[in-house]
Amino acid sequence: MSDRKQLDRKKAMLVDFKQQGASEKLFPNPPLLSSYNCGWNDIYFEYHNQPSYETPEHQVTMHSISFSLCNTESERWFDGRFKSECIKKGSTAIIPAGTIHRCLWQQEAQFAIMAIDPMLIERLARELAAIDNIELIPHFATLQDPLIEGIAFALKDEVESGCMGDSLYVEQLTTTLAIHLLKKYCVKQHQISTYSDGLSSYKLRRVVEYIHAHLDSEIKLSALAELLDMSQYYFCRLFKQSMGVAPYQYVIEQRVERAKDLLRQKKVAIAEIALQCGFANQSHFTKHFRKLTGTTPKAFRGL
């Protein structure tokens, strides 16, 4: 690295999204939504509505993705490279950790920021492709990526709901995003092996037994993958091939099935059933119960 670039990096503001209020160094207003208190690992989410503004020159410690929720025009600099952007709703910019970045826009703007821990991507690269030294490519806000869009809205929904969902769901989204960045937005395109035969009957039985034994508590993707001694990515893929649904969906389905049995007994209050079946509260329980059965727990109990 040249002396000039080293000096620029020393002068650029350092922003760490793992610290509370980190983005308030960048923008005039605090975020409308933040995942800071959600207890998520490896990923962070914010939703913003900001007036016209120019950010200070900065670099982030996490790989960051800016997802536009409106049409706007902006100017952006990556390590001194400049581009005028005509941003459309759904446009995405990728700002790798350590990139010197500055941006300005001339009118009110709505956007989301997703920040993902570089250590997660590096760990997945080693596990899945035996590759070190992962380098993401900075991308101006000209990308239209449906997968990134879907993950951004899913995380926004989770934060809006008060982060009531099981962390298993967010872990799946995080792993999916990390693999997507690894496969599509790195300096080198990485080939990741795939399998089509699912989990062995022994491994499937073992993980299903674990899930059923822990339906009343938080179930982490990392724990399920470690149980079978495989990466979270491969576990998700092979589990879905075997069961036809993602791990998170299977867990929700089994919680609802257990709740049905308890509701039929008519001995336990609905709020208590929600907790016994691993839901955050009665509202969280009702949301998923209605989605899977088409009715509420109270109505089901009265049948």
Side-chain angles (χ1 to χ4, degrees), residues 174-235:
T174 304
T175 300
T176 299
L177 178 60
I179 293 297
H180 188 59
L181 294 174
L182 184 62
K183 291 168 68 174
K184 286 200 66 175
Y185 298 111
C186 284
V187 172
K188 291 183 180 180
Q189 296 297 304
H190 303 296
Q191 296 298 318
I192 296 175
S193 300
T194 58
Y195 300 93
S196 58
D197 52 355
L199 294 168
S200 68
S201 57
Y202 166 74
K203 288 186 175 182
L204 183 60
R205 183 172 65 254
R206 191 177 183 197
V207 76
V208 166
E209 288 174 352
Y210 178 94
I211 289 171
H212 281 262
H214 295 83
L215 284 178
D216 61 344
S217 57
E218 185 177 35
I219 297 175
K220 287 188 169 291
L221 182 60
S222 55
L224 298 177
E226 287 172 11
L227 184 69
L228 303 186
D229 193 27
M230 62 176 59
S231 75
Q232 295 179 26
Y233 168 73
Y234 281 137
F235 169 74

Side-chain angles (χ1 to χ4, degrees), residues 249-290:
Q249 187 61 38
Y250 179 79
V251 169
I252 292 296
E253 289 174 358
Q254 298 311 304
R255 284 177 169 157
V256 167
E257 288 302 312
R258 178 172 291 186
K260 286 180 181 178
D261 291 338
L262 293 173
L263 288 167
R264 291 187 185 103
Q265 295 172 22
K266 301 184 179 181
K267 296 179 180 178
V268 183
I270 291 175
E272 181 59 28
I273 289 174
L275 299 179
Q276 288 185 19
C277 294
F279 293 100
N281 50 42
Q282 186 172 338
S283 176
H284 184 221
F285 170 40
T286 299
K287 170 186 172 182
H288 286 288
F289 194 92
R290 188 199 300 271

Side-chain angles (χ1 to χ4, degrees), residues 90-94 139-145 148 185:
S91 294
T92 298
I94 297 177
H139 281 272
F140 289 94
T142 55
L143 293 174
Q144 293 282 333
D145 189 312
I148 289 177
Y185 298 111

Side-chain angles (χ1 to χ4, degrees), residues 99-158:
T99 302
I100 299 175
H101 177 236
R102 179 162 61 97
C103 185
L104 70 87
W105 53 97
Q106 301 290 349
Q107 57 278 323
E108 185 177 73
Q110 295 83 43
F111 56 92
I113 295 174
M114 293 182 287
I116 189 165
D117 194 332
M119 297 297 292
L120 173 64
I121 297 179
E122 291 171 10
R123 184 173 72 248
L124 287 169
R126 288 192 297 269
E127 290 175 353
L128 305 179
I131 295 171
D132 290 311
N133 301 319
I134 296 301
E135 184 179 355
L136 288 187
I137 303 171
H139 281 272
F140 289 94
T142 55
L143 293 174
Q144 293 282 333
D145 189 312
L147 180 58
I148 289 177
E149 179 175 355
I151 291 172
F153 280 114
L155 293 176
K156 183 173 181 286
D157 287 345
E158 281 296 297

Side-chain angles (χ1 to χ4, degrees), residues 73-77 82-85 87 101-106 140:
E73 293 184 0
S74 72
E75 297 178 353
R76 193 182 305 269
W77 290 259
F82 166 79
K83 186 170 184 176
S84 294
E85 300 171 329
I87 298 176
H101 177 236
R102 179 162 61 97
C103 185
L104 70 87
W105 53 97
Q106 301 290 349
F140 289 94

